[in-house]
Amino acid sequence: MGLLDRFARPAPATATDPVEDVGKDGSESDPEKAGHGLQVDMAITPHNPHIDPEIEKSVVRKLDWKVTPLVTVLYLLSFLDRSNIGNAKIAGMQKDLSLTGNRYNWLLTIFYITYILFEVQVLMWKIVPPHLWAAFIVFAWGLIATLQAATTNFQGMMACRFFLGAMEAGFGPGIPYLLSFFYLRHEVGYRIGIFLAAAPLANTFAGALAYGITSGHSHLANWRLLFLVEGLPTIVMAPVAFFFLPDTPAKARFLTEEEKVVAKARGVRQVGGIERVGSVDWKDVRATLLDLKAWFTALMYFSCNVSFASLPVFLPTILTDMGFNAIDSQGLTAPPYFISWLVTILSTYIADRLQQRAYVITFLSITGGIGYILLAAAPTVGVRYFGVFLAASGVFPCIANILPWVTNNQGSDTRRGTGIMMLNLIGQCGPLLGTNVFPATDAPRYVRGQSICAAFIFFNGFLALALRALLVRENRKLDREHGTNAEQKAERERSHDNMESHVAEENYGPSFRYIL
């Protein structure tokens, strides 16, 4: 009996996502029958009843080297292109474009208005082959980001920021969802953490690049050169995404045939099928919209984003108002973000190992909140700059731990995609507040803005603990219904069922438990 035939058991009734069945003759069968099992051509199936753990490790290792780094680099460019406006402002853009009054705040706000309105593009990763969608969206935002260098007035920059928000909404929010196609529940959090760590890393580069660019004497205005230097590489990466981003693990050209079989088996273990791109289950969309857990994480994301969006675009200005000159302010933004990058990767790794996200998020929220309190209340520049380190090390890692919590605790591909869409539709409203609480009239301390950010990041920690309590209760109900996982394992041993997993276990299978 082949490897995948051993997984061909009836999927749980709650595994509602349609998947593509493949008959033994290689023909595609009715997707509606996908829940009744999966047959795979015996010619590509090794005669081994279990997934070889060494081959599985090889698959995951190759995904780690081929997929995660690619989307991370693309997100780094994405975040660089959206947040370098803060560096451009103090590099001469404010004067050249006559950004008086609240015009600069409007440039930030218009980006997030379209970013929110176009969040539904998250589901495009399930409808359109990912390599096609990625190539299109990367080229589009790269072109718009580069064209910012050509603007000559406020109206032109507003138009660029409008379309930049619409295009970037099609990439970053959907990548955690895409990664859930490649990794299992207990694996995906750390990889999402690496991906999202590109945000503070981008800001590290933004500070260093801006320092190098603005300290020179180019014939082109320094802020225009900044948009060109940071926008053109994104355009170059569009064909890279087209040729090197696989649509699914089973279609990855860097996997051997044997590894592709294991990759398919992992898909069966996850959701009961192989093909996961091409359709959306609208019943699951409705179920997710009514799920209280999805609303909790969306409110958490909103709370974090109040600070997450405002810190990169206002930090150079805050440092300038501390007394540093414009060039030094560009360079001083880099160290806090580098530390934040390290904490982001470490915290997601710990949360994955312990399978405890609430406690990690709460600790990070407290850290970030203390940082904002120091920024608001400390009288000395040194202590306030230390507060920047704490704020950055709390806010960015919180975001990186909230996103995998969504994919961890929704039980189908459609539900995971809808959960991510809800997270962003609600959560990305946070920047609308965050980018408008640092008016120039509050300089140099910006007490109001720092206090609001502190309050929301503390509230995020409270929401994490409340959600954990809800999930503990839900897990107890599942234990009563199916028996604990230890009891299920003992029953399999008594019945001599030594299978390592069942079909569609991540689609609310009997051993599915919410990650706390």
Side-chain angles (χ1 to χ4, degrees):
M1 181 177 290
L3 171 64
L4 293 184
D5 293 310
R6 285 285 303 209
F7 288 108
R9 296 184 172 189
T14 51
T16 54
D17 258 16
V19 295
E20 179 181 328
D21 274 6
V22 183
K24 288 187 177 182
D25 60 353
S27 62
E28 294 178 5
S29 61
D30 186 354
E32 296 300 325
K33 299 177 182 178
H36 298 293
L38 183 70
Q39 299 295 326
V40 176
D41 189 342
M42 292 290 290
I44 64 169
T45 305
H47 299 289
N48 188 337
H50 302 295
I51 293 178
D52 186 320
E54 291 304 316
I55 298 177
E56 184 173 20
K57 287 180 182 178
S58 176
V59 171
V60 174
R61 184 165 56 248
K62 287 186 177 181
L63 294 175
D64 286 344
W65 282 104
K66 302 291 185 178
V67 176
T68 304
L70 176 57
V71 296
T72 299
V73 169
L74 292 173
Y75 187 59
L76 185 150
L77 295 172
S78 166
F79 207 84
L80 202 63
D81 289 335
R82 84 173 66 166
S83 61
N84 57 9
I85 192 170
N87 300 103
K89 177 191 175 187
I90 66 172
M93 182 184 73
Q94 184 173 22
K95 179 181 178 182
D96 290 352
L97 298 187
S98 301
L99 300 182
T100 57
N102 63 351
R103 283 187 165 188
Y104 176 69
N105 285 1
W106 267 110
L107 292 178
L108 306 180
T109 302
I110 193 65
F111 173 91
Y112 285 104
I113 289 175
T114 53
Y115 200 80
I116 294 165
L117 293 177
F118 286 85
E119 283 295 339
V120 293
Q121 294 177 103
V122 167
L123 294 177
M124 294 299 290
W125 292 97
K126 185 166 173 60
I127 298 170
V128 178
H131 78 283
L132 292 175
W133 180 249
F136 163 73
I137 211 73
V138 170
F139 177 81
W141 102 63
L143 179 63
I144 296 166
T146 305
L147 289 175
Q148 290 178 111
T151 56
T152 58
N153 53 43
F154 168 70
Q155 291 79 6
M157 185 61 76
M158 279 287 284
C160 283
R161 298 293 293 180
F162 177 93
F163 289 108
L164 184 64
M167 293 300 100
E168 287 208 21
F171 181 75
I175 294 299
Y177 179 43
L178 177 68
L179 290 176
S180 72
F181 294 173
F182 291 84
Y183 295 100
L184 305 180
R185 288 177 81 213
H186 65 278
E187 300 168 344
V188 73
Y190 178 52
R191 278 74 184 185
I192 292 176
I194 293 174
F195 161 73
L196 288 171
L201 191 61
N203 284 309
T204 302
F205 288 146
L209 277 175
Y211 181 84
I213 293 169
T214 58
S215 60
H217 300 283
S218 170
H219 293 295
L220 193 65
N222 285 336
W223 66 271
R224 296 185 189 276
L225 187 60
L226 183 66
F227 284 133
L228 283 174
V229 170
E230 297 183 355
L232 289 173
T234 304
I235 298 176
V236 174
M237 287 298 294
V240 175
F242 180 84
F243 288 109
F244 293 99
L245 181 65
D247 294 334
T248 65
K251 294 181 180 178
R253 288 178 291 178
F254 52 79
L255 296 180
T256 66
E257 289 303 314
E258 189 177 33
E259 289 168 341
K260 287 181 180 179
V261 172
V262 170
K264 292 175 183 178
R266 282 163 56 87
V268 174
R269 178 193 298 176
Q270 282 184 288
V271 298
I274 297 172
E275 293 298 332
R276 302 170 67 175
V277 176
S279 63
V280 170
D281 188 323
W282 295 105
K283 290 182 180 179
D284 275 4
V285 171
R286 184 180 62 183
T288 310
L289 293 174
L290 298 175
D291 187 353
L292 185 60
K293 297 182 290 296
W295 289 95
F296 259 100
T297 49
L299 288 174
M300 291 170 62
Y301 198 46
F302 174 91
S303 300
C304 279
N305 264 332
V306 172
S307 309
F308 180 78
S310 60
L311 193 60
V313 294
F314 283 107
L315 183 55
T317 302
I318 292 170
L319 290 171
T320 301
D321 289 335
M322 284 184 186
F324 300 104
N325 63 45
I327 294 177
D328 288 341
S329 295
Q330 305 279 27
L332 287 171
T333 61
Y337 289 127
F338 180 74
I339 297 300
S340 177
W341 173 69
L342 295 176
V343 175
T344 299
I345 294 176
L346 179 62
S347 64
T348 51
Y349 174 78
I350 291 172
D352 255 14
R353 288 296 299 270
L354 300 179
Q355 294 292 283
Q356 294 284 343
R357 299 208 178 277
Y359 291 147
V360 172
I361 291 171
T362 302
F363 175 78
L364 294 169
S365 298
I366 293 172
T367 301
I370 292 173
Y372 278 108
I373 289 174
L374 292 178
L375 279 166
T380 60
V381 171
V383 175
R384 294 183 68 204
Y385 188 53
F386 176 67
V388 173
F389 279 85
L390 293 181
S393 297
V395 172
F396 286 91
C398 268
I399 293 285
N401 280 280
I402 292 171
L403 281 164
W405 215 7
V406 177
T407 61
N408 286 159
N409 289 337
Q410 293 294 337
S412 77
D413 281 341
T414 296
R415 291 191 63 140
R416 283 183 278 272
T418 307
I420 291 291
M421 183 181 69
M422 286 179 60
L423 181 89
N424 284 280
L425 278 171
I426 297 169
Q428 293 298 347
C429 292
L432 298 179
L433 173 61
T435 55
N436 286 284
V437 295
F438 289 91
T441 53
D442 286 356
R445 298 289 292 277
Y446 299 98
V447 173
R448 176 171 51 179
Q450 314 288 13
S451 301
I452 290 173
C453 287
F456 272 102
I457 198 68
F458 281 131
F459 183 56
N460 178 67
F462 168 78
L463 288 174
L465 293 177
L467 177 57
R468 188 184 190 280
L470 174 63
L471 296 176
V472 167
R473 189 180 69 176
E474 292 293 320
N475 281 345
R476 287 173 180 166
K477 290 181 180 179
L478 293 172
D479 285 343
R480 289 193 296 268
E481 182 178 351
H482 300 291
T484 66
N485 284 338
E487 291 170 347
Q488 292 181 47
K489 182 178 179 181
E491 177 60 29
R492 288 196 298 270
E493 290 174 351
R494 283 195 297 270
S495 62
H496 304 290
D497 181 0
N498 295 319
M499 285 186 62
E500 295 172 358
S501 64
H502 295 278
V503 170
E505 276 303 296
E506 296 191 10
N507 280 22
Y508 298 126
S511 63
F512 178 95
R513 296 296 181 273
Y514 295 104
I515 292 176
L516 306 179

